[in-house]
Amino acid sequence: MNQIPVIAFKNKSKEDRYLANGPDAGDWSDEELDVLIDDIQNAFLIWRIDKTKPTQEDLENIIKESREHKQNMIERFGDAALISYDVEKWLEDYEPAWIEITKEQFEASKEWN
């Protein structure tokens, strides 16, 4: 298996730009820090441990996890809580993209996590 299937979050209004895996991984030449496909290892990626193609159910599980995190943050810190892990909010500007990355990109991405 030379390619690893993943889900990335593609910007709906910009060509070939993807949601970064945090500010340190972002492309500082882009206003939203979105990364180009050439730096996809720096994007927020969803993959399966067995390296099979992620499913819609995997995406739904990430959305559910994010929703629970958001609820927990609001309970702990109130409505002013800063919440960056909000997949439902991301989906306003990004769409899930099922793509494949190289083993090298996969290994580099794992280091961010």
Side-chain angles (χ1 to χ4, degrees):
M1 175 180 281
N2 291 332
Q3 299 284 331
I4 311 293
V6 298
I7 299 173
F9 290 87
K10 187 178 181 319
N11 191 305
K12 292 178 182 178
S13 63
K14 292 189 236 171
E15 190 173 334
D16 295 324
R17 288 286 184 169
Y18 297 84
L19 179 69
N21 194 12
D24 291 341
D27 178 352
W28 287 85
S29 71
D30 182 80
E31 186 175 290
E32 282 87 31
L33 304 180
D34 292 340
V35 298
L36 291 165
I37 192 74
D38 292 342
D39 294 316
I40 198 67
Q41 70 275 2
N42 296 337
F44 183 90
L45 301 175
I46 301 169
W47 64 79
R48 301 190 73 170
I49 292 172
D50 63 5
K51 298 181 184 164
T52 58
K53 184 177 180 178
T55 64
Q56 183 67 32
E57 183 178 352
D58 294 319
L59 178 60
E60 293 299 325
N61 287 338
I62 293 293
I63 293 169
K64 180 182 177 207
E65 176 184 282
S66 166
R67 192 178 299 132
E68 290 169 356
H69 168 73
K70 182 178 178 178
Q71 181 179 351
N72 182 37
M73 292 293 289
I74 291 170
E75 287 173 4
R76 291 177 67 198
F77 303 106
D79 289 334
L82 296 176
I83 303 165
S84 60
Y85 182 50
D86 187 347
V87 178
E88 290 174 312
K89 182 74 172 160
W90 297 350
L91 291 173
E92 293 174 12
D93 297 311
Y94 298 86
E95 60 190 5
W98 279 258
I99 62 173
E100 292 186 339
I101 61 175
T102 66
K103 286 183 181 180
E104 293 79 15
Q105 290 169 320
F106 178 73
E107 291 302 321
S109 180
K110 285 190 345 185
E111 291 201 21
W112 284 109
N113 294 311

